[in-house]
Amino acid sequence: MKRTRHWNLRRQTAAVLLLVSALFVAACGGEAAEGKEPPLESTATEQTAAASTEESKTPVSPEDGTVPTEGTSGRFQYNEKLSALGLPVVSEEQALADGKTVLTLQASLVNPWLRDSIAGFNRQSADYFVRLEETYEDGAEDRLAAEIVAGRGPDILTGSVLEISESILEKEMLVDLAQGLDAMGITDEEYFPGVRALTMGDKVYGIRSYLTPLGRWMRESVLGSRELPDIETLVEKLYTYPDQDAVWHTNARSVAILEYLLCGSEDLWGMIDWEKGTCDFSGEMFARMLEIARRYADPEGITSETEEKWIVYYYNPVSNTPRKQLESEEKVIINFPFDDGYYPAYTSLSEVLMMNANSEHQEGVWAFFAYVLGEEGQYYAAGSSYLAVNREMSKNCMEYYLRGLEEGWFKTTAEFTPETIEELYAFTDQARPLPLRTKEVLDIIYEEAQTFWSGDKPLEEVCDVIQKRVQIYISENM
């Protein structure tokens, strides 16, 4: 089942990247081409004075000697020329000759932001060098988890190589970053809240350098009004919708539909009683969810040319179809159902950075984290067409592209205006991480539900198996 979940994550991640990339279609001419296209890993020797003289510093906390105490103060300017400077890449051989300590960072699905940030950090740090280790083979997640449990593993890892759940966090395999982030001055006033990832109570086990929250729209004809319904009403409306040819959206798989309905609730809409250690999947609402997930699936993309048959699709305030147009088309921005309402969500953890509790070089990891959340690291985050976690950097980046639209060297099919950008900021502030507590339970549900969707088992039998397996899991993990 882990493969199914990992496959689904890859699809969601790809969808996120496609949606966000819609912002920056066909940038052309002069400054835009100079500022965005050339990769950082150029071998040219020209450097800025800042790149050649600034060193990555590692402030040390007097309490435990491992976390930074200085803030990341200063103006976060969007330097659109930085990527075009042809800055050199420091080799590991050169770093070792200079006496630097090597840190390992393990990831898959590596995007330009991470490569650029690693290269930038390696140029500036006088003490550390980050080696990127890309992992794609089958079973990599299980192998990495076993290494960490055994006291080994990379210094830094991403959510693309370790399947994160609340039970993983409880095992203290990762370092709690909360104190260090506070010491660096990572506040909600200067950074979007999504910078803190993998939170559990007051603890924080991961950071994001850029943000890709997702929303959803749904047809008003399904909901019956523009009001957002409670979960029972939503399920009823989807179940009784009369259009038998409708699909969730093209290429939608049953598991993704069921995931949408379940993933935002801490107790799966009351089907789990965590205090009593019991569960109940015998109700009508859960059975209807499984039916809905089967009915609206379109894994073969049969409706790719008939968008009028889609009842749900991705939403972002600056996507190609803005809010006003959606509303005129009788579509309702619904986002994701959580226990206390509907919110945009972070559906992927692949971009989250974490520190291995086994690392012998935690001060170096902190130096790297300070870099990616600092001015140059945040430029690379914004420069990769994402919303950087630093508010000022995001604002400066968006203003840069707005000027590009006015001057004609930047073109986009997205609804890219000062109004939609402000809406994007609010959208990002509202975005929620998906609950981690239910992750293993959801894995069980998705695995068994496949046997219903494939026609191998009847609905009642599948619900009964889910009931038994989840109850065993809860009893063993209370």
Side-chain angles (χ1 to χ4, degrees), residues 145-274:
E147 287 181 1
I148 295 175
V149 169
R152 301 189 301 273
D155 299 287
I156 309 165
L157 57 152
T158 74
S160 64
V161 292
L162 183 67
E163 189 168 0
I164 302 298
S165 64
E166 190 169 280
S167 63
I168 290 289
L169 302 185
E170 288 173 343
K171 293 176 182 176
E172 299 184 351
M173 296 163 58
L174 305 172
V175 172
D176 175 13
L177 308 176
Q179 179 186 0
L181 293 175
D182 290 343
M184 281 198 294
I186 309 300
T187 65
D188 287 350
E189 288 72 31
E190 295 186 10
Y191 289 78
F192 291 104
V195 65
R196 289 175 169 81
L198 305 178
T199 58
M200 191 169 67
D202 295 331
K203 297 182 178 182
V204 179
Y205 292 99
I207 61 168
R208 291 184 177 92
S209 182
Y210 63 91
L211 300 169
T212 55
L214 274 183
R216 296 286 191 272
W217 59 252
M218 186 174 291
R219 292 193 184 276
E220 186 177 342
S221 59
V222 176
L223 300 175
S225 72
R226 301 199 67 81
E227 294 184 8
L228 301 184
D230 57 35
I231 189 62
E232 291 86 356
T233 304
L234 175 62
V235 171
E236 180 186 0
K237 295 292 186 181
L238 289 167
Y239 185 76
T240 59
Y241 188 53
D243 187 349
Q244 296 298 308
D245 295 325
V247 299
W248 199 250
H249 56 72
T250 191
N251 297 119
R253 293 171 61 90
S254 294
V255 66
I257 300 170
L258 183 60
E259 187 173 31
Y260 173 82
L261 295 171
L262 291 175
C263 66
S265 175
E266 294 278 358
D267 61 3
L268 303 187
W269 311 112
M271 288 180 272
I272 298 178
D273 189 323
W274 293 110

Side-chain angles (χ1 to χ4, degrees), residues 139-150:
E141 293 180 347
D142 291 336
R143 178 180 56 77
L144 179 57
E147 287 181 1
I148 295 175
V149 169

Side-chain angles (χ1 to χ4, degrees), residues 105-116:
L105 190 159
Q106 197 161 336
S108 65
L109 303 174
V110 178
N111 63 20
W113 158 79
L114 186 57
R115 296 186 190 279
D116 290 351

Side-chain angles (χ1 to χ4, degrees), residues 53-357:
T53 61
E54 285 291 318
E55 296 180 350
S56 176
K57 306 204 182 294
T58 311
V60 177
S61 166
E63 288 80 13
D64 59 14
T66 60
V67 300
T69 57
E70 295 182 10
T72 54
S73 59
R75 295 284 299 173
F76 279 70
Q77 297 295 333
Y78 184 74
N79 181 4
E80 68 274 13
K81 301 292 186 182
L82 186 59
S83 290
L85 289 176
L87 302 177
V89 173
V90 177
S91 68
E92 184 171 346
E93 181 180 4
Q94 178 183 344
L96 290 172
D98 292 339
K100 295 184 181 183
T101 299
V102 175
L103 310 173
T104 54
L105 190 159
Q106 197 161 336
S108 65
L109 303 174
V110 178
N111 63 20
W113 158 79
L114 186 57
R115 296 186 190 279
D116 290 351
S117 295
I118 290 173
F121 175 78
N122 289 341
R123 275 194 304 275
Q124 297 192 17
S125 176
D127 302 310
Y128 300 100
F129 176 91
V130 173
R131 176 203 299 148
L132 175 61
E133 298 180 348
E134 297 187 54
T135 304
Y136 296 101
E137 69 271 16
D138 289 343
E141 293 180 347
D142 291 336
R143 178 180 56 77
L144 179 57
E147 287 181 1
I148 295 175
V149 169
R152 301 189 301 273
D155 299 287
I156 309 165
L157 57 152
T158 74
S160 64
V161 292
L162 183 67
E163 189 168 0
I164 302 298
S165 64
E166 190 169 280
S167 63
I168 290 289
L169 302 185
E170 288 173 343
K171 293 176 182 176
E172 299 184 351
M173 296 163 58
L174 305 172
V175 172
D176 175 13
L177 308 176
Q179 179 186 0
L181 293 175
D182 290 343
M184 281 198 294
I186 309 300
T187 65
D188 287 350
E189 288 72 31
E190 295 186 10
Y191 289 78
F192 291 104
V195 65
R196 289 175 169 81
L198 305 178
T199 58
M200 191 169 67
D202 295 331
K203 297 182 178 182
V204 179
Y205 292 99
I207 61 168
R208 291 184 177 92
S209 182
Y210 63 91
L211 300 169
T212 55
L214 274 183
R216 296 286 191 272
W217 59 252
M218 186 174 291
R219 292 193 184 276
E220 186 177 342
S221 59
V222 176
L223 300 175
S225 72
R226 301 199 67 81
E227 294 184 8
L228 301 184
D230 57 35
I231 189 62
E232 291 86 356
T233 304
L234 175 62
V235 171
E236 180 186 0
K237 295 292 186 181
L238 289 167
Y239 185 76
T240 59
Y241 188 53
D243 187 349
Q244 296 298 308
D245 295 325
V247 299
W248 199 250
H249 56 72
T250 191
N251 297 119
R253 293 171 61 90
S254 294
V255 66
I257 300 170
L258 183 60
E259 187 173 31
Y260 173 82
L261 295 171
L262 291 175
C263 66
S265 175
E266 294 278 358
D267 61 3
L268 303 187
W269 311 112
M271 288 180 272
I272 298 178
D273 189 323
W274 293 110
E275 291 185 4
K276 294 180 179 179
T278 60
C279 63
D280 183 2
F281 292 93
S282 64
E284 180 181 67
M285 185 173 76
F286 181 66
R288 286 187 169 188
M289 286 181 174
L290 296 181
E291 294 271 18
I292 289 166
R294 181 175 67 173
R295 172 183 170 185
Y296 292 113
D298 182 26
E300 303 301 325
I302 296 172
T303 61
S304 59
E305 302 297 327
T306 53
E307 186 176 340
E308 67 274 8
K309 292 298 182 181
W310 308 354
I311 62 173
V312 178
Y313 202 59
Y314 301 103
Y315 168 74
N316 179 288
V318 291
S319 59
N320 294 6
T321 310
R323 174 184 291 270
K324 290 182 180 179
Q325 181 177 337
L326 289 175
E327 291 175 349
S328 70
E329 295 172 353
E330 298 185 334
K331 297 169 182 174
V332 178
I333 297 169
I334 190 170
N335 296 320
F336 285 77
F338 286 80
D339 289 316
D340 60 346
Y342 289 83
Y343 299 92
Y346 296 108
T347 62
S348 171
L349 296 175
S350 64
E351 77 283 7
V352 172
L353 295 171
M354 298 163 280
M355 187 191 306
N356 186 350

